[in-house]
Amino acid sequence: MPMIDADGCMLNVSVEGRDSGPTLMLSNSLGTTMAMWEPQMKALTQVFRVIRYDRRGHGKSGVPPGPYSIERLGRDVIAILDDLNIQKTHWCGLSIGGMVGQWLGANAPERFNKIILANTSSYFPDPTNWQNRIKLIKEGGIAAIADTVISSWLTADFREREPQATQNLKAMLLATPVAGYLACAETLSTLDQRGLLPKIKSSTLVIAGRHDTSTPVAANEFIRSNIPGASMTILDAAHISNLEQPHAFTDAVIGFLTQK
């Protein structure tokens, strides 16, 4: 796995799959690492050259002082593509990965073919939840929010049915550097990218979770309705829909990216 320098921050990057295939870049949620995408990797690597990475402040990547703006996170993506000498890629980002995807689609359209924005939002009308979460983390670390976050990420049915997958996800969240999590959370507390959406010209698919309370269906529908020609798929899942409905998520991604 290469370590790629993005303006002094070393980013942990993985490239797998078909060398001759089209490229797909995956971007995970806040508080997870590239391992979040494991349920998709076997199928995706048969079709695409797949790039995954740990966002700055997460996983094995560097943790420079925050906050990290969405633009900063977007420029990290461009730095990875430049280092790998990749001119154009498909994009699939979930949660904050979808927010970064909105910025990229509007500000670096020449670098992206099709874009998938999953379980995400362009705007949080009330920053209170983020402010409360930031306060709890500053007082008690990630552990202070872990159970609440996991209960919003996965439905109760899934947590009961798949205790090991749930524990693995919680362990990933708990291992996130506090400084890295806060540096992103502070940016999300003031997020407003509504003005970017009409500027996105790439063919776009929005994936929403029917039971997602973090970025509800209405927030995803707003994105779909404001990106010209965008389509939307709703999965029977909460926020981390690629884990809760792995086959349906993978099928939606491959179907959208391979259709002419």
Side-chain angles (χ1 to χ4, degrees):
M1 290 190 185
M3 296 294 285
I4 290 175
D5 188 337
D7 289 340
C9 178
M10 300 307 292
L11 300 174
N12 182 40
V13 179
S14 165
V15 184
E16 302 166 75
R18 288 185 55 195
D19 284 342
S20 59
T23 302
L24 168 61
M25 194 164 187
L26 302 174
S27 185
N28 32 280
S29 72
L30 175 61
T32 66
T33 70
M34 66 171 78
M36 189 192 90
W37 296 106
E38 283 304 323
Q40 279 67 51
M41 290 304 291
K42 184 177 180 183
L44 292 181
T45 51
Q46 291 172 11
V47 184
F48 305 101
R49 178 169 52 161
V50 181
I51 306 169
R52 292 184 289 171
Y53 70 105
D54 289 335
R55 175 175 298 105
R56 62 172 58 210
H58 289 67
K60 296 177 182 174
S61 291
V63 190
Y68 310 152
S69 68
I70 297 294
E71 178 180 354
R72 173 65 269 167
L73 299 177
R75 294 195 182 283
D76 287 350
V77 171
I78 301 300
I80 292 169
L81 293 175
D82 287 348
D83 191 273
L84 296 174
N85 199 29
I86 292 169
Q87 285 306 115
K88 211 160 189 178
T89 182
H90 296 307
W91 176 267
C92 178
L94 189 146
S95 194
I96 192 174
M99 298 164 199
V100 175
Q102 295 164 44
W103 187 90
L104 292 165
N107 289 283
E110 71 285 354
R111 305 303 293 269
F112 297 92
N113 288 311
K114 293 184 178 184
I115 291 175
I116 298 171
L117 306 173
N119 300 86
T120 191
S121 185
S122 58
Y123 172 61
F124 292 107
D126 182 3
T128 308
N129 285 342
W130 284 111
Q131 291 165 352
N132 290 342
R133 187 181 295 190
I134 288 165
K135 183 173 184 287
L136 285 169
I137 293 171
K138 285 180 175 177
E139 292 170 354
I142 303 285
I145 62 152
D147 288 336
T148 302
V149 169
I150 293 297
S151 67
S152 70
W153 276 4
L154 303 167
T155 62
D157 178 59
F158 181 87
R159 299 196 307 272
E160 190 175 319
R161 193 173 72 247
E162 298 284 356
Q164 190 58 57
T166 302
Q167 276 304 115
N168 293 346
L169 190 63
K170 185 177 178 181
M172 212 186 299
L173 174 64
L174 287 168
T176 304
V178 168
Y181 191 102
L182 289 174
C184 294
E186 286 166 13
T187 289
L188 298 191
S189 70
T190 59
L191 182 81
D192 188 352
Q193 298 196 132
R194 291 175 292 179
L196 295 182
L197 301 177
K199 300 176 182 176
I200 298 173
K201 302 298 186 245
S202 297
S203 180
T204 302
L205 171 66
V206 178
I207 298 177
R210 193 180 312 282
H211 312 291
D212 188 348
T213 57
S214 302
T215 54
V217 171
N220 289 272
E221 168 57 24
F222 180 86
I223 293 170
R224 184 211 63 78
S225 64
N226 281 275
I227 296 176
S231 57
M232 183 157 129
T233 294
I234 300 176
L235 302 182
D236 191 31
H239 190 54
I240 309 294
S241 65
N242 75 299
L243 178 62
E244 188 154 354
Q245 292 290 346
H247 300 299
F249 189 98
T250 305
D251 288 349
V253 168
I254 293 176
F256 174 70
L257 295 181
T258 56
Q259 73 187 16
K260 296 299 184 191

